[in-house]
Amino acid sequence: MKQLFVLDPIKHINPIKDSSAALMEAAHKAAIEVWICTPSDLQAKGNKAGVCASHVDPEPWITVQEPQNLALNEFQCIWMRKDPPVDEAFLYATHLLEVAEREGVLVLNKPASLRAWNEKLGALRFSKLMAPTLVASRVQELKDFAQEQGEVVLKPLGGKGGQGVIRIATGAPGLEALLELVTLQENLPVMVQKFLPKVLEGDKRILLVNGQPFGAINRRPKDGDFRSNLALGGKAEATELSLREKEICEELAPALKKEGLFFVGIDVIGGMLSEINVTSPTGIREVEQLMGIPLSEQIISQLLDKFS
């Protein structure tokens, strides 16, 4: 079997922390040929999709062979693991991957769903599981909502890793000016959510494989911050799922499976769903190290079951 990983440039990937590296190593252990490319290496000639890709040996990290021009239908599975932003280049890559998908190649996660499930807006499908939330561009509506909630968190819809997330007390001076700024003078929608004080105890990242929870970590914010993202200095801790968190996973599972979202990371704060991460979920290395679970190997095993 041959699998292709569509990634950021390999030199930017830290194998000690990166989930894509963990998946590549697990695939290699399972006697799968591992190939890599970037989105710019994808192409289509007529109705046939191709790629300029390199065969790699990820252990020890990493031996990269000279690139070759191949048809995408030579791969049984393609992992789309390019990090956000979901910009024009990302979107066009998903369209090119759909050409391969029409030729029978399994693409993870499903290209159409990568486009449809914005990592902030996708959670709105399950709004009853979330804290009170408003997505809007109009400053007055955002301001009224913030005043109703008392304290809120402002999230840019295209952000990643906690970047640009702001905690706002509604009595703070300059709220209206801030809302004008982040909405680009009411031209860009943003998400505002009720602030959940439980986030100071941690934000739980739960990794779901084919709709089922396979591992989780608790991410605790560093001193002086409320954002728990590991990229911003949050600390990962071992954890177990509560009954409420298991119920959230069960609620999401049918939709995730139906829409071809095979590997997903959800964020839960105080029993409330916060985000559904579908582009390139992280956390595999932390789960393996803290929980003693061979998660990457389990994910590849689940994937191979699809071909048996």
Side-chain angles (χ1 to χ4, degrees):
M1 173 181 281
K2 293 166 68 171
Q3 292 188 9
L4 175 66
F5 287 77
V6 184
L7 307 160
D8 289 296
I10 198 70
K11 65 182 180 181
H12 297 320
I13 291 179
N14 181 351
I16 297 173
K17 296 183 177 181
D18 197 275
S19 292
S20 294
L23 291 168
M24 291 163 66
E25 289 174 356
H28 180 70
K29 287 179 182 177
I32 295 168
E33 279 190 34
V34 178
W35 294 69
I36 62 170
C37 74
T38 66
S40 62
D41 295 316
L42 299 170
Q43 55 190 308
K45 187 174 184 180
N47 65 349
K48 300 296 182 182
V51 66
C52 183
S54 297
H55 187 200
V56 299
D57 185 346
E59 293 188 290
W61 191 261
I62 186 172
T63 302
V64 182
Q65 297 184 9
E66 288 297 316
Q68 301 178 39
N69 288 313
L70 301 170
L72 283 184
N73 63 10
E74 293 184 37
F75 300 96
Q76 287 72 44
C77 175
I78 299 174
W79 291 87
M80 178 49 165
R81 293 281 305 169
K82 170 71 175 70
D83 282 343
V86 179
D87 54 13
E88 277 189 284
F90 186 102
L91 294 174
Y92 293 147
T94 65
H95 287 291
L96 290 169
L97 290 172
E98 279 183 318
V99 180
E101 195 176 47
R102 290 193 292 270
E103 294 185 79
V105 181
L106 177 64
V107 182
L108 304 173
N109 286 318
K110 189 174 178 65
S113 295
L114 289 176
R115 294 193 298 269
W117 288 64
N118 173 277
E119 300 189 339
K120 307 293 190 298
L121 297 176
L124 295 178
R125 294 165 167 80
F126 308 95
S127 59
K128 67 181 181 180
L129 305 176
M130 301 172 67
T133 300
L134 173 69
V135 177
S137 303
R138 301 292 186 188
V139 167
Q140 190 60 52
E141 292 178 23
L142 292 165
K143 183 179 177 181
D144 290 346
F145 179 83
Q147 290 173 339
E148 288 171 10
Q149 301 304 323
E151 189 169 14
V152 296
V153 172
L154 179 66
K155 298 180 178 181
L157 297 181
K160 67 170 185 173
Q163 296 173 355
V165 178
I166 305 169
R167 177 180 172 184
I168 307 169
T170 54
L175 173 60
E176 191 167 329
L178 175 61
L179 293 172
E180 290 170 354
L181 179 66
V182 297
T183 62
L184 302 182
Q185 299 296 324
E186 300 190 330
N187 286 299
L188 187 71
V190 296
M191 175 177 281
V192 180
Q193 287 183 313
K194 180 179 178 64
F195 175 70
L196 299 175
K198 283 280 188 181
V199 74
L200 301 178
E201 300 173 15
D203 173 350
K204 198 165 290 189
R205 164 56 59 90
I206 306 172
L207 295 174
L208 293 92
V209 182
N210 205 26
Q212 302 303 312
F214 268 53
I217 52 170
N218 189 52
R219 303 173 298 177
R220 192 177 291 270
K222 67 180 180 181
D223 291 343
D225 203 343
F226 71 97
R227 298 171 298 173
S228 57
N229 307 78
L230 301 182
L232 297 176
K235 181 181 178 182
E237 303 173 335
T239 190
E240 299 291 339
L241 295 187
S242 67
L243 177 60
R244 169 64 173 170
E245 289 158 352
K246 292 177 182 177
E247 290 172 348
I248 290 173
C249 293
E250 290 175 3
E251 183 85 13
L252 269 57
L256 298 180
K257 292 172 70 174
K258 179 182 178 182
E259 305 228 6
L261 293 169
F262 176 78
F263 182 43
V264 170
I266 67 171
D267 298 336
V268 179
I269 301 169
M272 295 282 189
L273 178 65
S274 175
E275 294 184 14
I276 302 175
N277 298 276
V278 303
T279 51
S280 57
T282 61
I284 291 178
R285 291 297 199 199
E286 290 78 11
V287 169
E288 292 181 334
Q289 292 163 5
L290 292 170
M291 305 300 293
I293 299 171
L295 180 56
S296 55
E297 294 179 19
Q298 292 177 353
I299 294 170
I300 295 299
S301 177
Q302 281 284 309
L303 176 59
L304 291 176
D305 286 346
K306 287 181 167 286
F307 294 94
S308 61

